[in-house]
Amino acid sequence: MVKIWWTRLQRFLFPPETDKWLAVLRVGFGLQVITYALFLRGDWHYLFASTGKGLVSRELGEAITAFDSPFIPKLGWLVALGRSINISEETVLSVAWACLLCMGFLLLVGLFCRPAAIIAWFLHLCAAESGGLFAYGADNFMTTGLFYLMLSPLPDRYSADQWIVKAKSKDPQLLGFWLRVLQVHLCFVYFFGGLAKCLGNGWWNGSNLWRSLIRPPFNLISPDILVRFKYALPVLGISICVIEVGYPLFIWMKKTRFVWLVCILGMHVAIGLTMGLYLFALVMIVLNLAAFGVDSGVPFLRRRQSVHGVFPEQLSP
């Protein structure tokens, strides 16, 4: 029995996979990094300037972050390095923003994939930790996704690196392992998020949705419209709880995977459009498509069946 269970565990953790999911993750986070940098273009210096120059002192945010660990990367490290070679803070911040944008374009086309992923992860983590007072869920998931990307077996076959270097095909079991890590992580995120919603009554009667949609700056929908459709709020709240709690079960079942993926993507699209949380919606859509889109029957992401662990696209022409 122990041997049987061990064999099943190995098959679960190391399923043979193609690198199509990795390409989705790379392209998706390339777009995410570009969008993130462009959204903050006009406020980058205003948010991350030191004491007396920005909206909130960067040093205050970094001091709060230091309570967790003094080894967490911060923009202050780069500013201190620039100061040691007589480069002003404004110039360092401008170079950091330009590098982050450049890394996004490199990830998008698949050029220097791993260095680009590492630098993008580091710079975004510095920005997220230095501006911790303004960070929210999108920053956390973006840092996590870039972390998975930089550790994954890059480059994928759809990247420019693959066309230039002509590297050998990656081990299908190694690709499957990193995909499993991402899938299990998302299952934990949605299950415990949905469970926390179910424990209160705010999602059952729609009051939490009401408060979320009328609170500035997320109040994109007029309160008059919300009042007119107030009876739909409890239904939507319960639906969100069901979708999130049921995610770890129904996303694994082949018969329900496509339906559940469409539901979870629709939920994030609705969050982005109704509350203006476009970065959060985009990062969650990218993570879900990379994790479960290939096996769900989504057009252009559908994976062909393997024969003895070998996929058609891995065969030599």
Side-chain angles (χ1 to χ4, degrees):
M1 286 298 296
V2 174
K3 185 176 181 180
I4 291 174
W5 281 105
W6 176 247
T7 302
R8 290 180 178 177
L9 180 62
Q10 286 182 316
R11 289 177 180 174
F12 175 78
L13 292 177
F14 299 94
E17 289 288 343
T18 67
D19 56 1
K20 186 174 290 188
W21 72 269
L22 185 56
V24 174
L25 190 68
R26 173 183 57 78
V27 173
F29 270 92
L31 289 172
Q32 179 76 21
V33 171
I34 293 172
T35 306
Y36 175 84
L38 293 179
F39 271 19
L40 294 181
R41 178 184 178 185
D43 300 317
W44 184 264
H45 290 83
Y46 191 46
L47 290 174
F48 299 117
S50 60
T51 304
K53 298 180 181 180
L55 177 63
V56 176
S57 170
R58 185 194 71 244
E59 296 174 358
L60 174 61
E62 293 178 349
I64 295 174
T65 301
F67 281 112
D68 296 329
S69 172
F71 303 106
I72 298 176
K74 311 173 189 65
L75 287 175
W77 293 7
L78 302 180
V79 172
L81 179 62
R83 190 181 296 117
S84 65
I85 53 178
N86 296 322
I87 298 178
S88 65
E89 177 188 73
E90 184 176 357
T91 302
V92 172
L93 292 178
S94 298
V95 171
W97 179 87
C99 287
L100 186 62
L101 181 65
C102 182
M103 295 307 108
F105 281 109
L106 290 178
L107 287 176
L108 185 62
V109 300
L111 192 60
F112 307 113
C113 293
R114 193 174 302 282
I118 294 173
I119 296 173
W121 170 81
F122 178 79
L123 290 176
H124 177 265
L125 181 61
C126 288
E129 295 301 329
S130 295
L133 296 175
F134 306 102
Y136 67 112
D139 294 292
N140 296 330
F141 284 110
M142 190 172 169
T143 302
T144 302
L146 287 171
F147 181 78
Y148 284 146
L149 183 62
M150 74 177 190
L151 294 181
S152 298
L154 292 166
D156 57 88
R157 67 178 58 251
Y158 304 99
S159 64
D161 283 343
Q162 185 70 19
W163 297 343
I164 296 173
V165 180
K166 302 294 183 182
K168 295 181 180 179
S169 299
K170 306 299 184 196
D171 182 6
Q173 276 72 31
L174 181 61
L175 288 165
F177 170 75
W178 284 108
L179 177 60
R180 277 289 186 264
V181 173
L182 178 60
Q183 289 173 334
V184 172
H185 190 164
L186 285 179
C187 288
F188 276 107
V189 167
Y190 282 113
F191 176 76
F192 286 107
L195 183 62
K197 291 180 177 67
C198 292
L199 295 179
N201 61 358
W203 290 93
W204 297 98
N205 58 25
S207 60
N208 280 0
L209 271 178
W210 169 265
R211 284 193 291 267
S212 299
L213 294 173
I214 65 171
R215 178 182 303 171
F218 310 120
N219 54 336
L220 301 184
I221 300 178
S222 171
D224 295 336
I225 297 177
L226 295 177
V227 171
R228 188 177 305 174
F229 295 96
K230 62 181 179 180
Y231 296 108
L233 294 180
V235 177
L236 292 175
I238 295 173
S239 299
I240 292 173
C241 292
V242 172
I243 291 172
E244 292 192 354
V245 173
Y247 186 92
L249 174 63
F250 295 104
I251 201 70
W252 288 105
M253 300 168 61
K254 290 185 177 180
K255 292 183 178 180
T256 57
R257 180 173 299 166
F258 180 75
V259 174
W260 227 256
L261 183 62
V262 170
C263 290
I264 206 72
L265 295 181
M267 182 184 75
H268 288 300
V269 169
I271 290 173
L273 295 178
T274 59
M275 302 180 65
L277 298 175
Y278 307 114
L279 287 174
F280 176 74
L282 179 58
V283 70
M284 297 310 298
I285 289 172
V286 170
L287 289 173
N288 278 280
L289 285 178
F292 294 103
V294 175
D295 285 335
S296 63
V298 175
F300 305 109
L301 299 182
R302 188 180 294 110
R303 185 192 67 181
R304 288 178 283 178
Q305 295 297 321
S306 64
V307 179
H308 303 298
V310 179
F311 297 91
E313 50 264 51
Q314 292 176 319
L315 298 175
S316 302

